[in-house]
Amino acid sequence: MPQSVIVIATLLGGLGLFLVAMDMMTDGLKLASGHSLRRLLSNWTSTTLRGVMTSMAMTAIVQSSSAVTVASLSFVNAGVLKMRQALGVIYGANIGTTMTAWLVAVIGFKLNIHAFALPAIGIGAFLSLTRSKGKRLGLGRALVGFGLFFLGIDTLQSAFEGLVNEFDLGTVRMQGATEVVIYVLIGIVMTILTQSSSAAIAITITAAGAEIFGLYAAAAMVIGANVGTTSTAILAALGATPNAKRLAAAQVIFNLGTAVVALALLPLMFVVVE
C-alpha cells in the first residue's frame, strides 16, 4: 500500500478518534453531573461577572463551549435565564474552551500518552459496562472519552509527521493579508465541519507541532475557529424565541469583534511570545 494512503488513513483515523472522544467526554460529564449544569447556570448567573466565571468553569469541565452555549439558549428560550444573564454565560464559554488547547499543548506533547490513556479507557469501559444508567455510567463514558482524546492526539501527531515526510510541505509562513484571511477561513470551515472549536484548535496545535505550517498560520486558524463556533448557536437558535435569536446574534457579534481585535494585535502578541 502506498505510504501516502497510509498517512491519509492515519489522519482520518486520528480525527475520528478525537471527535468520538470529544462527544463521549461531553455526554459523559453531562450525565455524571445530572442537573448540575442547569442548576449552576440558573443559580450562579445573578451578575454578569458570576455568569462569566461559572460558564468558564463549566466549559472547562465538560470540554465543550457548544454544550454550554446551547444550554444557555435553551434556558433563554424557556424563560429560565434572562438575556443579560445568558450573555455572561456565552462570553465565559469562549474563555473556558481554551482549556482544550492547554491540555493538548501541555499534556499531549510531553507525556507517554499510552501510559495513562489506555488505563483510563479500561477503567471507563468497566464502569460503563457494569452500569446501564446514572452518574457511574456518565463517569465511565467520560473516562473512555478522555483516553480516546489523547490517543487521537497521538495518532494525529504520527499522521502529521508522516505528512511532512511524504509530501515535504515544510513550514508555511505568512507574507500578507491574503494568507491571513485564507488561514482564518480554514479555521472557520474546520469548526463548522466538526461542530467543535475545541477539535479544530487541537488539530491546529497538533499540526503546528509537526511543523506543517508556521505559528502565524496556526494563530490565524485558531482565530477562525473562534468565529466558526458561532455556527452552533445559529443552528440552535433556528425556530427559537426572539430573545434566543438575539443571544445567538450577540455571540456572533462578540466572536467577530474579538477576531478583528486579535488579528489587529497578532504582530504585537508574537513579539511578546518570542
Side-chain angles (χ1 to χ4, degrees):
M1 184 179 293
Q3 185 65 27
S4 58
V5 175
I6 296 175
V7 169
I8 293 172
T10 305
L11 184 63
L12 290 173
L15 178 59
L17 275 173
F18 188 86
L19 292 176
V20 169
M22 291 294 296
D23 187 61
M24 290 189 71
M25 278 198 296
T26 299
D27 289 345
L29 286 168
K30 285 194 293 184
L31 182 61
S33 63
H35 297 289
S36 298
L37 180 60
R38 178 184 291 270
R39 286 199 302 269
L40 279 172
L41 287 178
S42 59
N43 296 335
W44 289 84
T45 55
S46 55
T47 66
T48 302
L49 180 60
R50 292 183 70 178
V52 170
M53 298 302 293
T54 300
S55 179
M56 282 174 55
M58 289 306 301
T59 304
I61 291 170
V62 302
Q63 283 295 291
S64 176
S65 61
S66 297
V68 177
T69 299
V70 171
S72 302
L73 284 167
S74 64
F75 295 155
V76 169
N77 202 41
V80 176
L81 285 181
K82 295 180 180 179
M83 187 175 169
R84 183 179 295 274
Q85 291 174 295
L87 280 174
V89 175
I90 292 289
Y91 298 160
N94 278 276
I95 302 172
T97 196
T98 59
M99 182 59 67
T100 301
W102 280 106
L103 282 173
V104 175
V106 175
I107 298 177
F109 297 132
K110 296 184 179 180
L111 296 178
N112 183 347
I113 290 176
H114 292 82
F116 64 92
L118 294 179
I121 293 173
I123 295 170
F126 175 77
L127 290 174
S128 299
L129 292 173
T130 55
R131 195 75 175 183
S132 60
K133 59 181 179 179
K135 294 184 177 181
R136 185 171 171 180
L137 173 63
L139 179 59
R141 286 180 60 84
L143 281 173
V144 172
F146 183 78
L148 291 177
F149 175 86
F150 287 105
L151 285 183
I153 291 173
D154 189 51
T155 305
L156 283 174
Q157 281 182 259
S158 300
F160 285 132
E161 289 169 1
L163 200 62
V164 171
N165 295 330
E166 182 67 19
F167 297 103
D168 194 24
L169 295 174
T171 302
V172 178
R173 295 190 182 277
M174 292 189 179
Q175 298 177 351
T178 303
E179 287 80 3
V180 174
V181 172
I182 288 172
Y183 284 118
V184 169
L185 290 175
I186 291 173
I188 292 173
V189 171
M190 283 175 59
T191 305
I192 292 174
L193 291 176
T194 60
Q195 280 297 292
S196 172
S197 60
S198 297
I201 291 170
I203 293 167
T204 300
I205 292 174
T206 308
E211 297 188 345
I212 289 212
F213 41 70
L215 202 55
Y216 276 80
M221 288 172 67
V222 168
I223 292 171
N226 187 55
V227 176
T229 194
T230 59
S231 63
T232 303
I234 293 171
L235 290 173
L238 294 177
T241 62
N243 272 344
K245 291 179 179 178
R246 292 187 187 102
L247 183 62
Q251 190 198 19
V252 173
I253 294 169
F254 176 76
N255 285 32
L256 285 174
T258 55
V260 170
V261 172
L263 287 171
L265 295 178
L266 205 54
L268 177 60
M269 285 192 289
F270 277 102
V271 168
V272 175
V273 168
E274 292 171 0

